[in-house]
Amino acid sequence: DQMIANNITPNEITYINILSAISNLGPTALEKGKQIHQLLNSLIQMYTKCGEPNKSIELYDQMIANNITPTEITFTNILSAISNLGPTALEKGKQIHQHITQHKLDSNTKLLNSLIQMYNKCGEPNKSIELYDQMIANNITPNEITYINILSAISNLGPTALEKGKQIHQHITQHKLDS
């Protein structure tokens, strides 16, 4: 607050350090911590949307190094950055996937959609299909975004995936999502 009062503009490193310090203060600083966390998520999203996905990944890595727990929003934003980078970021995408599993968010439809999209855009459409199949096997309900992403993955596989495409079309029809 003193920095802002003295017209000193904090950068993302400052916010990460502030969030780390706030976490040591306990419940009294919870609201301030939430505000800083939202700001970090917004910075990750901004860098991605402004064409600097590597900067988003750098910020995410700094959060992890400072023991700042990512949220669903953090993961969604960072997966978008990785998707924008394509195949060169596949290994980082796999690492993020492991983080999502470690945080027990791997049954979250929004994150699964982001993972399906990321694997497809990073050149692993078969992994996208595998995740979709796991969703169905675990009774996680796909939504319209899931179907858009999985059909994109199937189209990237070409004619060899036609039968899978027909199965998914049947599933869409059964769940009345085709109207």
Side-chain angles (χ1 to χ4, degrees):
D1 290 335
Q2 287 179 353
M3 287 179 72
I4 293 170
N6 291 318
N7 290 327
I8 300 171
T9 305
N11 63 20
E12 61 268 6
I13 305 292
T14 308
Y15 288 118
I16 288 171
N17 289 326
I18 291 170
L19 196 53
S20 290
I22 286 173
S23 67
N24 294 325
L25 296 176
T28 58
L30 182 62
E31 279 309 308
K32 192 59 137 178
K34 285 181 180 178
Q35 290 172 354
I36 302 291
H37 207 287
Q38 287 176 332
L39 179 60
L40 291 172
N41 286 334
S42 295
L43 284 169
I44 290 171
Q45 182 181 42
M46 180 211 56
Y47 283 128
T48 300
K49 287 186 173 184
C50 290
E52 294 198 34
N54 285 316
K55 188 73 174 167
S56 297
I57 292 170
E58 181 182 315
L59 184 54
Y60 173 84
D61 287 342
Q62 291 171 353
M63 288 176 66
I64 298 302
N66 285 282
N67 296 316
I68 299 169
T69 304
T71 63
E72 173 191 330
I73 294 168
T74 311
F75 285 127
T76 301
N77 289 336
I78 200 63
L79 287 169
S80 178
I82 291 165
S83 293
N84 287 345
L85 289 170
T88 60
L90 178 61
E91 288 309 310
K92 187 65 175 181
K94 289 178 178 179
Q95 182 185 44
I96 303 297
H97 188 174
Q98 288 176 334
H99 291 175
I100 290 169
T101 302
Q102 290 167 352
H103 290 282
K104 301 191 183 330
L105 293 171
D106 52 352
S107 61
N108 179 304
T109 301
K110 188 172 184 177
L111 287 177
L112 286 166
N113 288 342
S114 294
L115 284 166
I116 288 169
Q117 180 184 43
M118 182 273 298
Y119 279 113
N120 184 39
K121 287 190 171 188
C122 288
E124 297 263 337
N126 284 316
K127 182 66 176 175
S128 297
I129 293 169
E130 181 184 317
L131 282 172
Y132 171 81
D133 289 342
Q134 288 173 3
M135 285 180 76
I136 300 303
N138 292 321
N139 294 317
I140 300 169
T141 305
N143 61 23
E144 291 86 356
I145 303 301
T146 311
Y147 291 118
I148 290 168
N149 288 332
I150 198 62
L151 289 171
S152 175
I154 287 169
S155 71
N156 285 334
L157 289 171
T160 59
L162 182 60
E163 283 308 310
K164 186 66 175 180
K166 288 179 180 179
Q167 288 174 358
I168 291 170
H169 181 251
Q170 183 179 16
H171 197 260
I172 291 169
T173 303
Q174 287 172 343
H175 290 88
K176 300 190 182 350
L177 294 173
D178 62 344
S179 47

